[in-house]
Amino acid sequence: MPQAITVEDLNIYYGDFLAVENVNVVIEPRSVTALIGPSGCGKSTFLRTLNRMHEVIPGARAEGTVEIEGQNIYAAGVDPVNVRRRVGMVFQKPNPFPTMSIRDNVLAGVKLNNKRISKSDADALVEKSLKGANLWNEVKDRLDKPGMGLSGGQQQRLCIARTIAVRPEVVLMDEPCSALDPISTLAIEDLIHEMKEEFTIVIVTHNMQQASRVSDRTGFFNIAGTGKPGKLIEIDDTEKMFTNPANKQTEDYISGRFG
């Protein structure tokens, strides 16, 4: 069952540099939350703290609380690998495993988690995940062909299938359409709409039209200047954010006066 994420007093560092300062936010379950803002304001950095991917970078760390289903994922003794099972991630550039077939790409996360799975269960999971990623009809006759043989948009949906195959509660998406053409982008956006029935989704996007199309709520990050930390300026229902934001910075960004 997807759960809300509660973030309290979150500060994110690269070494001694404070990159994102004092984020407090509740992300609602079974909804799409879009994060917008100018380049370098900390959106993707914040996103990566929600599944502890940030700390993979040497010297990077986060201080504060990120609770998923009431569990602080930064508490002592919490296994980051287990966190990443619960909180999947889809990256900007499609990254299917190059030596693997379409089928093996879908099952990669499950096998990585040392789950033993029978062939019939594996077949069912592959079909369910590819259907979930709206890719099944396009690839069902070539599951043993390399994942890299697909088009860019298909590869991205394959990566989404791989992510949802492990049944996460939350799916993070870091600009999942920035490398895709408009038709593939539309396919991914339609898919995001369908996925929120099952998953809590947080998406970083530079495309404000996309944020307004796909999300229920939108958060705006901004930065006061080079060398200053990024901050979450406001978050609200998407329609309100785009028509009547509370903060002048948000209004200026959305109307194109800066950014």
Side-chain angles (χ1 to χ4, degrees):
M1 168 76 183
Q3 294 296 333
I5 303 168
T6 305
V7 178
E8 291 181 348
D9 304 330
L10 185 71
N11 291 300
I12 310 170
Y13 294 86
Y14 291 99
D16 295 331
F17 174 62
L18 177 60
V20 181
E21 184 175 37
N22 197 30
V23 178
N24 290 277
V25 66
V26 173
I27 292 166
E28 296 174 354
R30 296 197 184 208
S31 66
V32 180
T33 301
L35 305 177
I36 61 170
S39 292
C41 67
K43 310 178 295 291
S44 294
T45 296
F46 169 69
L47 192 74
R48 287 196 297 269
T49 62
L50 300 180
N51 73 342
R52 295 189 56 171
M53 285 290 284
H54 172 66
E55 68 204 53
V56 173
I57 299 161
R61 68 185 198 282
E63 293 174 358
T65 308
V66 176
E67 282 194 358
I68 297 173
E69 203 179 2
Q71 181 195 36
N72 177 14
I73 64 171
Y74 284 95
V78 173
D79 180 359
V81 176
N82 198 29
V83 170
R84 290 172 206 139
R85 239 173 249 157
R86 297 173 60 196
V87 185
M89 188 148 196
V90 177
F91 296 92
Q92 188 168 356
K93 199 163 176 290
N95 58 348
F97 296 119
T99 58
M100 289 187 187
S101 67
I102 293 168
R103 173 191 163 84
D104 287 342
N105 258 288
V106 176
L107 295 171
V110 179
K111 290 182 173 168
L112 204 64
N113 290 334
N114 296 322
K115 292 239 177 81
R116 292 190 167 254
I117 184 166
S118 69
K119 183 171 185 312
S120 59
D121 284 349
D123 289 346
L125 182 62
V126 167
E127 181 171 344
K128 183 176 183 198
S129 304
L130 287 168
K131 279 181 172 167
N134 217 345
L135 188 59
W136 173 250
N137 287 339
E138 292 162 61
V139 302
K140 63 184 180 200
D141 299 325
R142 47 176 174 152
L143 295 176
D144 294 324
K145 297 276 193 294
M148 293 300 280
L150 299 173
S151 71
Q154 289 173 326
Q155 285 185 26
Q156 191 62 298
R157 281 181 284 148
L158 177 59
C159 293
I160 292 171
R162 183 176 72 198
T163 300
I164 63 180
V166 296
R167 313 307 304 149
E169 295 155 39
V170 179
V171 176
L172 310 177
M173 297 186 168
D174 192 359
E175 296 190 53
C177 302
S178 66
L180 304 181
D181 63 84
I183 290 171
S184 299
T185 296
L186 191 62
I188 301 279
E189 288 182 2
D190 287 344
L191 176 55
I192 289 168
H193 269 298
E194 290 166 24
M195 284 172 65
K196 75 176 183 187
E197 291 180 17
E198 255 185 279
F199 306 100
T200 299
I201 298 171
V202 187
I203 176 172
V204 166
T205 178
H206 269 293
N207 182 330
M208 283 192 281
Q209 286 76 26
Q210 180 170 73
S212 68
R213 285 192 299 263
V214 303
S215 69
D216 302 294
R217 299 182 86 221
T218 296
F220 171 62
F221 277 81
N222 200 10
I223 190 163
T226 310
K228 297 273 203 288
K231 293 185 175 179
L232 177 63
I233 304 299
E234 69 173 302
I235 183 165
D236 210 329
D237 291 344
T238 294
E239 191 179 348
K240 183 171 183 304
M241 282 286 281
F242 280 91
T243 55
N244 187 21
N247 192 291
K248 176 131 185 15
Q249 290 180 57
T250 314
E251 188 181 342
D252 286 351
Y253 182 74
I254 285 171
S255 64
R257 280 198 278 274
F258 83 96

Short mmCIF file of all heavy atoms in Angstrom, two decimals, residues 125-152:
data_model
loop_
_atom_site.label_atom_id
_atom_site.label_comp_id
_atom_site.label_asym_id
_atom_site.label_seq_id
_atom_site.Cartn_x
_atom_site.Cartn_y
_atom_site.Cartn_z
N LEU A 125 4.97 -12.08 -13.98
CA LEU A 125 5.48 -10.78 -13.51
C LEU A 125 5.96 -9.92 -14.67
O LEU A 125 5.71 -8.71 -14.71
CB LEU A 125 6.61 -11.00 -12.50
CG LEU A 125 7.21 -9.72 -11.90
CD1 LEU A 125 6.16 -8.94 -11.11
CD2 LEU A 125 8.40 -10.06 -11.00
N VAL A 126 6.63 -10.56 -15.63
CA VAL A 126 7.10 -9.82 -16.81
C VAL A 126 5.90 -9.23 -17.56
O VAL A 126 5.89 -8.05 -17.91
CB VAL A 126 7.94 -10.74 -17.73
CG1 VAL A 126 8.15 -10.10 -19.10
CG2 VAL A 126 9.29 -11.04 -17.08
N GLU A 127 4.89 -10.05 -17.77
CA GLU A 127 3.71 -9.58 -18.49
C GLU A 127 3.01 -8.46 -17.72
O GLU A 127 2.67 -7.40 -18.28
CB GLU A 127 2.72 -10.73 -18.73
CG GLU A 127 1.49 -10.28 -19.50
CD GLU A 127 0.58 -11.43 -19.94
OE1 GLU A 127 1.01 -12.60 -19.92
OE2 GLU A 127 -0.57 -11.14 -20.31
N LYS A 128 2.82 -8.65 -16.41
CA LYS A 128 2.13 -7.65 -15.60
C LYS A 128 2.91 -6.32 -15.60
O LYS A 128 2.32 -5.24 -15.72
CB LYS A 128 1.97 -8.16 -14.17
CG LYS A 128 1.19 -7.20 -13.30
CD LYS A 128 0.93 -7.71 -11.91
CE LYS A 128 0.09 -6.67 -11.19
NZ LYS A 128 0.07 -6.80 -9.76
N SER A 129 4.24 -6.40 -15.45
CA SER A 129 5.05 -5.18 -15.36
C SER A 129 5.09 -4.45 -16.69
O SER A 129 5.01 -3.22 -16.74
CB SER A 129 6.47 -5.52 -14.90
OG SER A 129 6.43 -6.21 -13.67
N LEU A 130 5.21 -5.22 -17.78
CA LEU A 130 5.23 -4.58 -19.11
C LEU A 130 3.87 -3.99 -19.45
O LEU A 130 3.78 -2.93 -20.08
CB LEU A 130 5.68 -5.58 -20.18
CG LEU A 130 7.18 -5.92 -20.14
CD1 LEU A 130 7.48 -7.11 -21.04
CD2 LEU A 130 8.04 -4.73 -20.56
N LYS A 131 2.79 -4.66 -19.02
CA LYS A 131 1.46 -4.08 -19.21
C LYS A 131 1.33 -2.82 -18.37
O LYS A 131 0.79 -1.80 -18.81
CB LYS A 131 0.37 -5.08 -18.82
CG LYS A 131 0.10 -6.11 -19.92
CD LYS A 131 -1.00 -7.08 -19.54
CE LYS A 131 -1.37 -7.96 -20.73
NZ LYS A 131 -2.21 -9.11 -20.33
N GLY A 132 1.86 -2.88 -17.14
CA GLY A 132 1.83 -1.72 -16.25
C GLY A 132 2.58 -0.53 -16.85
O GLY A 132 2.24 0.61 -16.60
N ALA A 133 3.62 -0.84 -17.63
CA ALA A 133 4.40 0.23 -18.27
C ALA A 133 3.92 0.50 -19.69
O ALA A 133 4.57 1.22 -20.45
CB ALA A 133 5.88 -0.16 -18.28
N ASN A 134 2.77 -0.09 -20.04
CA ASN A 134 2.15 0.14 -21.34
C ASN A 134 3.08 -0.22 -22.50
O ASN A 134 3.17 0.50 -23.49
CB ASN A 134 1.74 1.61 -21.44
CG ASN A 134 0.43 1.75 -22.19
OD1 ASN A 134 0.01 0.81 -22.84
ND2 ASN A 134 -0.18 2.90 -22.09
N LEU A 135 3.79 -1.34 -22.34
CA LEU A 135 4.77 -1.73 -23.35
C LEU A 135 4.53 -3.15 -23.87
O LEU A 135 5.10 -3.55 -24.89
CB LEU A 135 6.18 -1.64 -22.72
CG LEU A 135 7.40 -1.81 -23.61
CD1 LEU A 135 7.43 -0.78 -24.74
CD2 LEU A 135 8.69 -1.71 -22.79
N TRP A 136 3.67 -3.88 -23.20
CA TRP A 136 3.49 -5.32 -23.49
C TRP A 136 3.17 -5.58 -24.96
O TRP A 136 3.80 -6.42 -25.61
CB TRP A 136 2.40 -5.88 -22.58
CG TRP A 136 2.01 -7.30 -22.88
CD1 TRP A 136 0.83 -7.74 -23.43
CD2 TRP A 136 2.80 -8.48 -22.64
NE1 TRP A 136 0.83 -9.10 -23.54
CE2 TRP A 136 2.03 -9.59 -23.06
CE3 TRP A 136 4.07 -8.71 -22.12
CZ2 TRP A 136 2.48 -10.90 -22.98
CZ3 TRP A 136 4.53 -10.02 -22.04
CH2 TRP A 136 3.75 -11.10 -22.47
N ASN A 137 2.19 -4.87 -25.50
CA ASN A 137 1.77 -5.16 -26.88
C ASN A 137 2.88 -4.93 -27.90
O ASN A 137 2.92 -5.57 -28.94
CB ASN A 137 0.54 -4.33 -27.25
CG ASN A 137 -0.70 -4.84 -26.54
OD1 ASN A 137 -0.74 -6.00 -26.11
ND2 ASN A 137 -1.71 -4.00 -26.38
N GLU A 138 3.78 -4.00 -27.57
CA GLU A 138 4.86 -3.68 -28.51
C GLU A 138 6.00 -4.70 -28.46
O GLU A 138 6.74 -4.83 -29.43
CB GLU A 138 5.41 -2.28 -28.21
CG GLU A 138 4.41 -1.17 -28.51
CD GLU A 138 4.76 0.14 -27.82
OE1 GLU A 138 5.84 0.68 -28.08
OE2 GLU A 138 3.95 0.61 -26.99
N VAL A 139 6.16 -5.38 -27.34
CA VAL A 139 7.36 -6.23 -27.19
C VAL A 139 7.06 -7.70 -26.90
O VAL A 139 8.00 -8.51 -26.82
CB VAL A 139 8.31 -5.69 -26.07
CG1 VAL A 139 8.73 -4.26 -26.37
CG2 VAL A 139 7.67 -5.79 -24.69
N LYS A 140 5.80 -8.08 -26.77
CA LYS A 140 5.50 -9.44 -26.29
C LYS A 140 6.05 -10.54 -27.20
O LYS A 140 6.29 -11.66 -26.72
CB LYS A 140 3.99 -9.61 -26.10
CG LYS A 140 3.18 -9.49 -27.37
CD LYS A 140 1.69 -9.56 -27.07
CE LYS A 140 0.91 -9.44 -28.36
NZ LYS A 140 -0.47 -9.05 -28.16
N ASP A 141 6.27 -10.23 -28.47
CA ASP A 141 6.80 -11.26 -29.40
C ASP A 141 8.32 -11.24 -29.49
O ASP A 141 8.90 -12.00 -30.26
CB ASP A 141 6.21 -11.04 -30.80
CG ASP A 141 4.69 -11.18 -30.78
OD1 ASP A 141 4.20 -12.01 -30.01
OD2 ASP A 141 4.02 -10.43 -31.51
N ARG A 142 8.98 -10.38 -28.72
CA ARG A 142 10.45 -10.34 -28.79
C ARG A 142 11.08 -10.13 -27.42
O ARG A 142 12.02 -9.37 -27.25
CB ARG A 142 10.91 -9.26 -29.78
CG ARG A 142 10.21 -7.92 -29.61
CD ARG A 142 10.79 -6.88 -30.54
NE ARG A 142 10.02 -5.64 -30.49
CZ ARG A 142 10.54 -4.45 -30.75
NH1 ARG A 142 11.80 -4.32 -31.06
NH2 ARG A 142 9.79 -3.37 -30.70
N LEU A 143 10.55 -10.83 -26.43
CA LEU A 143 11.03 -10.68 -25.05
C LEU A 143 12.48 -11.11 -24.89
O LEU A 143 13.16 -10.66 -23.96
CB LEU A 143 10.15 -11.48 -24.09
CG LEU A 143 8.68 -11.02 -23.98
CD1 LEU A 143 7.90 -11.95 -23.07
CD2 LEU A 143 8.61 -9.59 -23.46
N ASP A 144 12.96 -11.99 -25.78
CA ASP A 144 14.34 -12.46 -25.66
C ASP A 144 15.34 -11.61 -26.44
O ASP A 144 16.53 -11.87 -26.45
CB ASP A 144 14.44 -13.93 -26.10
CG ASP A 144 13.66 -14.83 -25.15
OD1 ASP A 144 13.65 -14.52 -23.95
OD2 ASP A 144 13.04 -15.81 -25.61
N LYS A 145 14.83 -10.57 -27.10
CA LYS A 145 15.72 -9.66 -27.83
C LYS A 145 16.30 -8.62 -26.86
O LYS A 145 15.72 -8.36 -25.82
CB LYS A 145 14.93 -8.94 -28.94
CG LYS A 145 14.37 -9.86 -30.01
CD LYS A 145 15.43 -10.17 -31.06
CE LYS A 145 14.85 -10.83 -32.30
NZ LYS A 145 14.30 -12.16 -32.11
N PRO A 146 17.45 -8.01 -27.20
CA PRO A 146 18.08 -7.06 -26.28
C PRO A 146 17.21 -5.84 -26.00
O PRO A 146 16.59 -5.29 -26.92
CB PRO A 146 19.37 -6.64 -27.01
CG PRO A 146 19.57 -7.63 -28.09
CD PRO A 146 18.23 -8.21 -28.43
N GLY A 147 17.20 -5.42 -24.74
CA GLY A 147 16.46 -4.21 -24.35
C GLY A 147 16.98 -2.98 -25.08
O GLY A 147 16.24 -2.03 -25.35
N MET A 148 18.27 -2.98 -25.40
CA MET A 148 18.87 -1.83 -26.07
C MET A 148 18.38 -1.69 -27.52
O MET A 148 18.62 -0.67 -28.15
CB MET A 148 20.40 -1.94 -26.09
CG MET A 148 21.04 -1.82 -24.71
SD MET A 148 20.72 -0.27 -23.88
CE MET A 148 21.92 0.78 -24.69
N GLY A 149 17.71 -2.72 -28.03
CA GLY A 149 17.20 -2.65 -29.41
C GLY A 149 15.91 -1.85 -29.53
O GLY A 149 15.43 -1.61 -30.64
N LEU A 150 15.36 -1.41 -28.41
CA LEU A 150 14.12 -0.65 -28.43
C LEU A 150 14.40 0.83 -28.70
O LEU A 150 15.51 1.30 -28.52
CB LEU A 150 13.40 -0.78 -27.08
CG LEU A 150 12.99 -2.20 -26.66
CD1 LEU A 150 12.46 -2.20 -25.24
CD2 LEU A 150 11.95 -2.76 -27.62
N SER A 151 13.35 1.56 -29.09
CA SER A 151 13.50 3.02 -29.27
C SER A 151 13.67 3.67 -27.89
O SER A 151 13.41 3.05 -26.86
CB SER A 151 12.25 3.59 -29.93
OG SER A 151 11.16 3.56 -29.01
N GLY A 152 14.06 4.94 -27.89
CA GLY A 152 14.29 5.65 -26.62
C GLY A 152 13.08 5.65 -25.71
O GLY A 152 13.18 5.38 -24.51
#
